[in-house]
Amino acid sequence: MTTTAQLLAVNIDCAEPRRLAEFYAAVLGYEVQYAEDTYAGIGDGTMSIYFQQNLDRKPSTWPGPDKQFHLDVRVPDLEGAIRDYLELGATRPDFQPGEGKWVVLADPEGHLFCVCPPSGQ
């Protein structure tokens, strides 16, 4: 039998940890728990996301084979959320594989995330 682990956090490499923490705190409704120029963290008491400075990181091309991960978020109002996230600094790539079922956005440093409508839509 394999020991079951509890996921504590996800760590994301970026150039500006404080900026990315503030972006995702706004998107997810999490609190900024820690923020400095080289490392920052957000969370909701159960899950945390940490942002670690890596000045050599290069954003992946989209679409392309070098994407290593992406986040999926579910929102109550797809179009409203997209507007909000674009105002926060996200961008909307031209390539959208979801055929209207979800929308791919990139955070201010180019990490991709999918914005999904409520279940059943």
Side-chain angles (χ1 to χ4, degrees), residues 19-31 42 49 51 71-76 81-82 84-90 105-108 113-115:
R19 178 178 179 218
L20 218 52
E22 291 169 355
F23 174 83
Y24 279 107
V27 168
L28 299 171
Y30 284 13
E31 296 290 324
I42 64 172
I49 302 175
F51 304 91
L71 302 175
D72 291 344
V73 299
R74 186 168 308 284
V75 296
I82 292 166
D84 291 344
Y85 304 159
L86 293 173
E87 287 177 12
L88 289 170
L105 295 180
D107 71 24
F113 65 103
C114 293
V115 183

Side-chain angles (χ1 to χ4, degrees), residues 3-10 45-48:
T3 301
T4 302
Q6 177 184 10
L7 181 64
L8 296 176
V10 173
T46 302
M47 179 64 183
S48 297

Side-chain angles (χ1 to χ4, degrees), residues 13-14 24 31 36 42 58 110 112:
D13 286 0
C14 60
Y24 279 107
E31 296 290 324
E36 64 177 46
I42 64 172
K58 294 179 179 67
L112 299 172

Side-chain angles (χ1 to χ4, degrees), residues 1-102:
M1 176 166 176
T2 302
T3 301
T4 302
Q6 177 184 10
L7 181 64
L8 296 176
V10 173
N11 285 267
I12 298 175
D13 286 0
C14 60
E16 297 181 60
R18 185 186 312 266
R19 178 178 179 218
L20 218 52
E22 291 169 355
F23 174 83
Y24 279 107
V27 168
L28 299 171
Y30 284 13
E31 296 290 324
V32 175
Q33 298 170 328
Y34 181 81
E36 64 177 46
D37 291 338
T38 59
Y39 197 73
I42 64 172
D44 68 353
T46 302
M47 179 64 183
S48 297
I49 302 175
Y50 299 118
F51 304 91
Q52 179 175 321
Q53 189 174 57
N54 177 349
L55 297 175
D56 295 326
R57 181 191 165 272
K58 294 179 179 67
S60 61
T61 56
W62 176 248
D66 53 346
K67 178 177 71 72
Q68 295 180 352
F69 76 93
H70 72 274
L71 302 175
D72 291 344
V73 299
R74 186 168 308 284
V75 296
D77 172 11
L78 185 63
E79 293 307 317
I82 292 166
R83 276 192 309 275
D84 291 344
Y85 304 159
L86 293 173
E87 287 177 12
L88 289 170
T91 56
R92 186 176 183 161
D94 291 334
F95 180 67
Q96 294 290 323
E99 299 177 8
K101 296 176 187 166
W102 67 85

